[in-house]
Amino acid sequence: MSIKDNLSTIKSSLPSHVTLVAVSKTKPIADLMEAYHAGQRIFGENKIQEMTEKWEQMPKDIQWHMIGHVQSNKVKYMIPYVSLIHGVDSLKLLKEINRLAAKWKRTVDCLLQIHIAEEDTKFGLDGQELNEILQSEELKTFENIRIVGLMGMATFTENNEQIKREFLHLKSIFDQHNQLKTAKCQLTTLSMGMSGDYQLAIECGSTMVRIGSSIFGSR
Ligand SMILES: *Cc1c(COP(=O)(O)O)cnc(C)c1O
């Protein structure tokens, strides 16, 4: 199957309220262009340097999503163009994104990453830490960011019951906060689900899926 065929198969299976992020990390420009020509306009990368190189070479109507862990000292490279940062997991990082976004006179949309997996290798906040960020006075002073939702990654396992439990846990945290509507913060996006588990994620309430290998082939 070609990238184009993979994309159209996946897209036809997604409900209309679910956004597809094509995860193109490690893949060459030619593959991204194939997806672009098939109509894909949202791409996800997990390394800032690789994303920036691709942004420079690709058409400018693409929305670039940073889906990986973000180091504060690298934020500056993506601020001019990034459209959504999925993996924000501290107030300190929000502060740095806000500072640089102000410098570029932009507002940058962010998702807060919640730790739902069993493995402690995966980054993210717990419910308590999320509350602390959402209620912090400092957040109100950040004029150049918007928190638009939550992101999470389930444990890498064949056990669908476990994955489902983790997704539902994230969904319940999302539901606790999605009534919240301030200028800075309106949780409308729930980013969960990858190639192996996106159907399950959608059943559990995902509104944004991040799919790589099912589109571009294995890495
Ligand atoms: C690589 C990656 C994906 C995509 O994974 P696939 O299994 O290839 O679909 C999704 N989300 C994050 C955070 C990733 O790093």
Side-chain angles (χ1 to χ4, degrees), residues 23 25 46 67 151 153 194-196 210-214 219:
V23 176
K25 62 191 186 194
N46 70 340
I67 61 169
M151 178 268 210
M153 284 169 88
M194 323 191 344
S195 291
R210 311 174 308 269
I211 300 181
S213 45
S214 291
R219 289 179 295 272

Side-chain angles (χ1 to χ4, degrees), residues 24 27-29 32-33 36 41 43-45 47-66 76-83 104 106:
S24 49
K27 296 296 175 181
I29 292 289
L32 278 71
M33 279 310 293
Y36 180 84
R41 291 294 180 273
F43 289 81
E45 292 281 337
K47 296 207 169 72
I48 293 177
Q49 184 177 339
E50 181 179 345
M51 182 168 77
T52 301
E53 283 165 12
K54 287 172 172 170
W55 166 70
E56 283 165 356
Q57 295 174 62
M58 294 284 292
K60 290 296 170 283
D61 61 342
I62 290 172
Q63 294 172 36
W64 293 96
H65 287 201
M66 171 44 59
K76 57 177 180 281
Y77 301 111
M78 65 176 165
I79 286 298
Y81 68 89
V82 72
S83 135
W104 283 86
R106 331 186 25 202

Side-chain angles (χ1 to χ4, degrees), residues 5-14 20 195 198 209 211 214-215:
D5 291 341
N6 292 341
L7 262 175
S8 77
T9 305
I10 291 166
K11 275 199 210 152
S12 64
S13 77
L14 297 181
L20 173 63
S195 291
Y198 73 90
V209 291
I211 300 181
S214 291
I215 298 173

Side-chain angles (χ1 to χ4, degrees), residues 34-212:
E34 199 177 328
Y36 180 84
H37 287 309
Q40 184 63 26
R41 291 294 180 273
I42 305 178
F43 289 81
E45 292 281 337
N46 70 340
K47 296 207 169 72
I48 293 177
Q49 184 177 339
E50 181 179 345
M51 182 168 77
T52 301
E53 283 165 12
K54 287 172 172 170
W55 166 70
E56 283 165 356
Q57 295 174 62
M58 294 284 292
K60 290 296 170 283
D61 61 342
I62 290 172
Q63 294 172 36
W64 293 96
H65 287 201
M66 171 44 59
I67 61 169
H69 185 67
V70 177
Q71 288 168 276
S72 292
N73 61 346
K74 302 232 172 94
V75 171
K76 57 177 180 281
Y77 301 111
M78 65 176 165
I79 286 298
Y81 68 89
V82 72
S83 135
L84 181 62
I85 304 175
H86 289 233
V88 181
D89 64 357
S90 72
L91 197 61
K92 179 170 156 268
L93 185 56
L94 280 172
K95 185 176 183 169
E96 179 65 358
I97 294 167
N98 180 67
R99 184 181 75 80
L100 291 161
K103 222 167 142 179
W104 283 86
K105 299 189 165 50
R106 331 186 25 202
T107 301
V108 173
D109 287 348
C110 299
L111 303 179
L112 293 174
Q113 183 169 356
I114 307 299
H115 180 97
I116 53 170
E118 220 170 48
E119 302 128 39
D120 43 55
T121 51
K122 283 175 184 149
F123 299 98
L125 305 159
D126 62 27
Q128 166 87 30
E129 292 165 327
L130 173 67
N131 287 339
E132 281 167 21
I133 290 181
L134 294 179
Q135 286 161 17
S136 85
E137 286 301 315
E138 199 175 11
L139 182 68
K140 296 180 190 153
T141 68
F142 297 164
E143 299 288 344
N144 295 76
I145 52 148
R146 234 175 358 225
I147 297 172
V148 299
L150 303 180
M151 178 268 210
M153 284 169 88
T155 303
F156 190 72
T157 171
E158 301 278 291
N159 183 344
N160 278 337
E161 280 308 309
Q162 180 176 355
I163 296 174
K164 187 173 175 182
R165 229 175 16 247
E166 294 173 357
F167 282 155
L168 288 175
H169 175 56
L170 179 54
K171 171 70 159 102
S172 77
I173 294 176
F174 180 72
D175 285 343
Q176 284 165 33
H177 297 286
N178 65 7
Q179 304 303 329
L180 195 73
K181 282 191 178 52
T182 68
K184 212 67 60 223
C185 191
Q186 272 194 34
L187 306 189
T188 54
T189 298
L190 182 54
S191 167
M192 63 181 194
M194 323 191 344
S195 291
D197 56 22
Y198 73 90
Q199 274 121 342
L200 187 53
I202 291 168
E203 285 170 32
C204 296
S206 170
T207 70
M208 183 175 276
V209 291
R210 311 174 308 269
I211 300 181

